Amino acid sequence: MELMKEKFAKLLLGEDMSGGGKGVSSALALSNAITNLAASAFGEQKRLEPMSPEMKARWKKEIDWLLSVTDHIVEFVPSKQKAKDGSNMEIMVTRQRNDLHMNIPALKKLDAMLLECLDNFKDQNEFYYVSSTEEESQQGKNPRKDNKWWIPTPKVPPNGLSEVSRKWLQYQKDSVNQVLKAAMAINAQVLSEMEIPESYIESLPKNGRASLGDSMYKSITDEYFDPDYFLSSIDLSSEHKLLDLKNKLEASVVIWERKMLAKDNKSSWGSAVSLEKREIFEDRAETILLLLKHRFPGLPQSDLDITKIQCNRDVGQAILESYSRIIESLAFTVLSRIEEVMHADSLAMSPSSVEPKKSPLKEPLEKLPKYDKEDCNSVETPTSMTLLDFMGWNLENGENKKDSQDAVETKYLGKPANIVTNKRMSYIEKLENIGGTRSPTARH
């Protein structure tokens, strides 16, 4: 009780314990509290092993404290009530706000799935870990060539894992991948619904060409556009360059959206380019942004995202964004640890035929998943597991498939499916169709 009082007192003061009124907003204070709690509970997940019972209990207890705030973020909804004389009348009652009502239970379930996945590695005995110093003393060199020298190296038997363990490990990877897609969908949707701060808008140039530069602007506005060719023509050899490209693309999208909303061509945001072409340019830029997020999931947040989070005053959105972000980050990390074990298994089975494991930031672009318009219209194979099946929301009582899909999008995105997909495909649909998730880099 005393610990809870202390934490909520800090939130009420906006992290300014002096009481001098220099604290941050309640929304940002809660966002920071969830982020800091996750950092202390999970840190860098270096091994595939369960959390300690004490740390797991602390995580569940304190995250419930912070999420309890959403129980009091309500809206009025109509409800029927029976009067004493037996007549029915409609009254307005309070209910948790719709986006929180849909997404908080979904995120809690994703959270539980990740912890359960880590618990599943408790009794495995086919692979183990050695530290870098132990490896150096055994072989006289450090086999880890990437930048994660502090992470223990997984070791498997000389002949690799057994077939049963290999299939089980693949199942765990698929499960975590589904959690990852769901968390990414919720986080992207919440960020897209946050209001763009005026400070960000004021810092933008007046047109997309000035934001992108002549070369990139020409590629995006060309009659024949191929996102893969566009990305292959740009230097993406470092995290800094990737983040710079993401910032430029997001800035151009905001500029084009504002130009399309400008009512008067004499406005400072007006332009001679037609609305139809501008909408095409915006859609192309968003396609590239989605590919960047998908291929390089470890990228830090963009300038737009950071500004939105810092200036956001909606407590409910702040909690949804931070909670989905830390689940996404943990899913990336667990997925990376699983892929390291699978890579070690591949090396043990056929050392000569397996290329060294590379960071996605250093991998040639032509080896990354390709974007195919036909893939976006393809139908899943009968054996594939949908997000609806994975989350355990198999609807009964004779609901048809379309109703089920609408329920999934409503569960994940916090709004009716027909609204989500009005302009273009939902985040979930795009993530499902573009391709498999690459090995993530460390997420900060």
Side-chain angles (χ1 to χ4, degrees):
M1 183 63 70
E2 291 302 319
L3 179 60
M4 184 172 67
K5 286 180 180 178
E6 180 183 342
K7 285 190 173 292
F8 276 97
K10 186 176 181 181
L11 290 174
L12 286 169
L13 293 170
E15 301 177 348
D16 177 21
M17 299 305 286
S18 68
K22 298 179 181 180
V24 299
S25 66
S26 298
L28 184 56
L30 273 164
S31 177
N32 291 340
I34 293 174
T35 303
N36 294 335
L37 174 61
S40 62
F42 301 110
E44 177 68 31
Q45 191 71 31
K46 299 179 181 179
R47 304 168 186 260
L48 290 174
E49 59 186 10
M51 293 177 66
S52 67
E54 299 80 11
M55 188 59 72
K56 184 189 291 188
R58 180 198 166 196
W59 164 253
K60 289 183 176 180
K61 177 178 63 177
E62 295 190 20
I63 195 65
D64 280 345
W65 290 349
L66 298 174
L67 294 179
S68 67
V69 176
T70 62
D71 296 336
H72 306 280
I73 302 175
V74 296
E75 61 186 358
F76 280 109
V77 294
S79 176
K80 288 186 178 180
Q81 188 179 69
K82 191 171 246 186
K84 292 182 179 180
D85 60 0
S87 61
N88 291 324
M89 58 180 177
E90 191 174 83
I91 61 171
M92 300 298 288
V93 297
T94 57
R95 189 189 70 179
Q96 188 179 34
R97 203 172 72 189
N98 190 53
D99 59 334
L100 302 172
H101 178 69
M102 294 296 179
N103 289 322
I104 291 295
L107 289 171
K108 283 184 175 180
K109 185 156 189 177
L110 295 174
D111 184 355
M113 286 175 175
L114 278 179
L115 297 182
E116 182 181 356
C117 177
L118 291 174
D119 288 340
N120 290 338
F121 289 94
K122 178 181 180 181
D123 299 322
Q124 76 79 26
N125 53 13
E126 287 205 35
F127 65 87
Y128 60 98
Y129 290 90
V130 293
S131 65
S132 299
T133 53
E134 291 174 336
E135 188 69 18
E136 287 175 351
S137 63
Q138 291 175 8
Q139 299 184 7
K141 60 178 181 179
N142 185 4
R144 185 179 280 277
K145 301 298 182 183
D146 57 21
N147 57 356
K148 301 178 185 178
W149 53 266
W150 65 91
I151 298 176
T153 305
K155 291 293 180 181
V156 299
N159 296 326
L161 301 173
S162 66
E163 191 63 29
V164 173
S165 294
R166 195 172 294 119
K167 289 181 178 179
W168 177 80
L169 198 62
Q170 181 63 45
Y171 175 78
Q172 299 302 319
K173 177 184 174 182
D174 293 341
S175 299
V176 175
N177 198 25
Q178 293 285 3
V179 173
L180 173 62
K181 289 178 181 179
M184 287 174 68
I186 294 176
N187 186 261
Q189 185 65 26
V190 174
L191 281 171
S192 70
E193 291 177 350
M194 284 185 180
E195 184 179 351
I196 300 174
E198 284 298 323
S199 59
Y200 179 82
I201 295 173
E202 291 171 0
S203 68
L204 296 177
K206 293 302 180 183
N207 55 65
R209 184 188 291 272
S211 172
L212 292 170
D214 291 339
S215 177
M216 281 194 287
Y217 180 81
K218 183 178 179 181
S219 297
I220 289 180
T221 58
D222 190 57
E223 182 179 357
Y224 301 101
F225 174 72
D226 181 359
D228 287 304
Y229 178 77
F230 174 84
L231 289 175
S232 65
S233 64
I234 299 175
D235 182 9
L236 303 177
S237 58
S238 69
E239 184 179 274
H240 174 74
K241 292 176 180 178
L242 280 164
L243 189 58
D244 182 58
L245 173 61
K246 186 178 179 182
N247 286 330
K248 289 179 178 179
L249 287 168
E250 287 185 340
S252 65
V253 168
V254 174
I255 292 170
W256 287 329
E257 284 181 343
R258 288 185 66 82
K259 285 181 179 292
M260 286 190 290
L261 292 174
K263 297 179 181 179
D264 187 358
N265 285 338
K266 296 180 181 179
S267 164
S268 61
W269 289 97
S271 175
V273 181
S274 67
L275 294 180
E276 292 77 10
K277 284 187 176 180
R278 199 169 303 286
E279 187 170 2
I280 292 173
F281 300 161
E282 180 197 347
D283 192 62
R284 289 175 176 180
E286 289 187 346
T287 299
I288 299 170
L289 284 170
L290 187 69
L291 288 172
L292 287 175
K293 183 177 179 65
H294 177 72
R295 294 179 179 180
F296 307 103
L299 280 178
Q301 289 171 313
S302 65
D303 292 342
L304 177 58
D305 292 342
I306 292 173
T307 309
K308 279 185 174 182
I309 293 170
Q310 290 178 343
C311 298
N312 172 55
R313 294 294 183 269
D314 189 309
V315 173
Q317 286 184 336
I319 293 175
L320 282 179
E321 190 283 325
S322 55
Y323 194 24
S324 59
R325 170 162 40 87
I326 61 103
I327 291 176
E328 178 185 335
S329 178
L330 180 60
F332 280 137
T333 306
V334 174
L335 189 64
S336 180
R337 300 291 87 83
I338 292 176
E339 289 186 341
E340 286 176 353
V341 176
M342 297 177 75
H343 182 71
D345 178 50
S346 299
L347 284 174
M349 290 192 300
S350 181
S352 59
S353 63
V354 179
E355 296 181 1
K357 186 176 174 61
K358 297 180 180 179
S359 165
L361 293 176
K362 298 179 181 179
E363 197 161 348
L365 195 66
E366 54 270 17
K367 291 188 178 182
L368 294 169
K370 294 293 182 180
Y371 170 80
D372 191 347
K373 290 182 180 179
E374 294 181 1
D375 290 343
C376 291
N377 298 320
S378 63
V379 180
E380 286 187 297
T381 58
T383 56
S384 63
M385 180 185 291
T386 66
L387 288 172
L388 178 70
D389 299 329
F390 181 76
M391 290 293 287
W393 287 323
N394 294 309
L395 305 182
E396 299 176 355
N397 303 326
E399 289 186 300
N400 60 33
K401 185 175 182 180
K402 184 179 185 306
D403 292 338
S404 299
Q405 178 63 25
D406 289 350
V408 171
E409 294 187 355
T410 303
K411 277 283 187 182
Y412 275 108
L413 305 180
K415 61 198 304 185
N418 61 337
I419 297 177
V420 174
T421 57
N422 183 35
K423 187 175 180 183
R424 54 183 62 89
M425 288 189 299
S426 70
Y427 285 100
I428 294 179
E429 194 174 359
K430 284 187 176 181
L431 287 169
E432 287 281 6
N433 288 322
I434 286 179
T437 301
R438 305 297 299 179
S439 303
T441 57
R443 175 107 171 178
H444 300 287

